Amino acid sequence: MRKEILDTTTLDQEGLKKLDAYIEGLRGNKEEQLIHVLHHAQQIFGYLPKNLQWYIANQLNMPSAKVNGVVTFYSLFSEEPRGKYTVSVCMGTACFVKGAEKVLDRILELTKSEKGKMSDDGLFTVQDVRCIGACGLAPVVTINEKVYGNVKINEVDDIIRRYKRGDQHAS
Amino acid sequence: MKLIDKMINCTVNGMDITVEKGTSVLDAAAKAGVHIPTLCHLNLHDLNAVNQSANCRVCVVEDENSGRLVPSCSQEVYDGMNIETDSLKAVMGRRTSLELLLSNHPQDCLTCIKNLDCELQSLAHEMNIKEIHYQGEKMKHPIDTTSQAIHKDPNKCIMCRRCITMCNDVQTVGVLSPLKRGFDVVVATAFHMDMGDTSCTYCGQCVSVCPTGALAEMDASSKVWKRLNNPKKHVIVQVAPAVRVALGEEFGYDPGEISTGKIVSALRRLGFDTVFDTNFGADLTIVEEAKELVDRIEGGGPMPMLTSCCPAWVQFIEQQFPELLDVPSTCKSPQSMVGSLAKTYYAEQNNIDPEDITMVSIMPCVAKKAEAAREELSVEGHYNVDYVLTTRELARMIKEAAIDFKTLRDDSFDQLLGESTGAAAIFGTTGGVIEAASRTAYEMVTGKELKKVDFKDLRGIDGIREATIEMNGTKLRIGIAHELGNARKLLEDIRDGKSHFDAIEIMACPGGCIGGGGQPYHHGKSEILKKRAESIYKIDMGSEVRKSHENPMVKKVYKDFLETPGSKRAKELLHTTYSAKERI
């Protein structure tokens, strides 16, 4: 694994330049701005592979274990490649009681993916998340920035189909 | 602010006491003579190592004013606070916390390496836990045995984070970190890498503070037993300076008991064919190192010269300061020097094939295990040292062999590599190596006899110390650091040209080798380390010869075999090289 982590040549070099410029432009204690750097890196690369985390650790002069600790703490950071659409199913108490688990299972079935892993067609990454604070809309599913409330199990097929077709904006 | 403004009043179990503002409930209770059980808490404040994560909730007490349970280690006392440490609510609160921890802990105490030395086990006993009322999911993580030095079993981890404090805050190595969150949290290396692949220096300070068996030494005793039971092998053992002032603790002696003679005796009883003294190697190291220092001063550098006996420190500089690799002394550590000579000089003198020699070291250190496996530390395909046992492993072997340690008579080391001076003894504590080197360098430089051998300015417990020694008009500027975080500060200043020293001693562990990761557990009591240090100086004071270059056997080795300090043969056998390593 050591070799794989130390090898940053497999990363998009243009992306690294962008990231370097971002880090360069940070003011004050850079180590304290780790979360911003990670957020920015994920925007550039789509996810945070191990060698990228190591690269960031070096740029910020901090241990890679600490970087990895932060990345694995926040569910919005991903160490795996992510699909075009991130489907988050809220598993807070209200959503759970209102059948979120069934919704999640159905979405996984439809997208032919495993929880947290990108679907083979590269379109979806389905994950469960903690309470997102929209209990009045339970059960809640978010797909990228869009929020779907009061999701009924028989509506799930339609929502996912629209994303597959690429006309998700049609309501 | 006047002192009176800083003082506040509180009540602990009905007793009125006055404490300084900012005092923790735990310390306030201690002031009232009340003991509160703790687990994650660690306070080695004079060594700058404090873990106050309030994670385990084993130290909760009741705040009578609010009726709430508060963690006493991190809760500060407020004016008028009324603390009950033994109310039913407090006692039950602590029991619940402990039972929850136990519900997710393997129940294999009988065969655990920490059996009878485990803080979790002691608490379960103290709190009279007879049954664990909770049953739930258990962690299931792979056990890491990939490094030569440290055994990591995350399933025994209770998330106290002491190891993280040591690894990150004290040592600034940063190999361990909590990963994930909630129930999934695990103290791990970055990306769950094998320990052997990380930048771990193997200082073992994580091991020395781990309350359970989650972090421990890689036990080499069964391999050593195998060699001891092989009649074809000539098994030699050597004992480090710091072991003799600590091993006694494992057999009920007070900290600081000097048990050199009994250790030699025990080793013979265990079946070792020859018992050498690492202190002999320490004397030899000093002679080589002093020569190197004098050569560097006269030859114009590179300066400063850094000591190289501490393997964790060597790993640290290779990884963290690869641009400074020309400054450490090229001298091998004392254990390697003894190993090197045992397989050459001693083998030759006694007509033993080096192939048949097994060299075992008893060390206060887990990093020595990794050092022994360094390719650079071998001569003609033979590793200088084959196996390293920590002080704790030796204690276990002695117990296993049912040897009654306390009744053993005092025995002395074998020759040719068994004679040592007071200068070698002090290798075991911070400041000792540089003091020993100064005694020899002084006489090498000035050609005069050093009358006052005690360099008291070099002693002490401060993390970074500086002193100047006058030699024939030239001033030798000396720096000393113990704990790797302090070493880092010193090195950064050198790299940035902010400080100028001629010689620097660095030891990775708090207090030096006496506080090594392989020593009997101090369980957070820094006075134990102080007692060990005092005894080290006592050995020095009581020694007839107190300068390394006056060790008669060292002189003999040069006369018979090595010729002169720094000779071609000495360079071959007693010196080594360093290489930069990627930090990960």
Side-chain angles (χ1 to χ4, degrees), chain A residues 72-75 88-93 95 127-135 140 142, chain B residues 180-185:
Chain A
T72 54
F73 183 87
Y74 292 105
S75 55
S88 303
V89 183
C90 178
M91 283 289 162
T93 312
C95 292
Q127 60 184 19
D128 52 356
V129 293
R130 281 145 200 263
C131 182
I132 60 170
C135 310
V140 180
T142 64
Chain B
K180 303 205 171 170
R181 67 198 285 172
F183 184 79
D184 299 327
V185 167

Side-chain angles (χ1 to χ4, degrees), chain B residues 238 240-241 277-286 289 308-310 331-341 361 363 368 371 385 424 427 433 574:
Chain B
Q238 55 170 316
D277 196 351
T278 310
N279 289 25
F280 170 86
D283 278 330
L284 196 58
T285 303
I286 284 305
E289 214 164 71
S308 56
C309 322
C310 170
C331 286
K332 286 183 181 175
S333 69
Q335 81 151 350
S336 297
M337 287 205 183
V338 171
S340 186
L341 287 183
S361 305
M363 295 281 135
K368 289 281 173 191
E371 182 193 86
V385 173
F427 256 63
V433 174
L574 309 179

Side-chain angles (χ1 to χ4, degrees), chain B residues 63-113:
Chain B
D63 176 355
E64 287 281 296
N65 296 343
S66 66
R68 288 208 310 225
L69 293 174
V70 294
S72 60
C73 68
S74 57
Q75 171 74 48
E76 285 181 9
V77 173
Y78 61 85
D79 199 28
M81 192 174 187
N82 185 3
I83 303 153
E84 282 287 339
T85 70
D86 53 5
S87 66
L88 183 66
K89 192 171 182 178
V91 172
M92 292 315 286
R94 292 200 290 268
R95 280 188 68 115
T96 304
S97 301
L98 189 65
E99 278 190 47
L100 284 168
L101 286 171
L102 290 168
S103 75
N104 187 15
H105 194 83
Q107 312 281 311
D108 64 348
C109 297
L110 285 180
T111 52
C112 177
I113 193 164

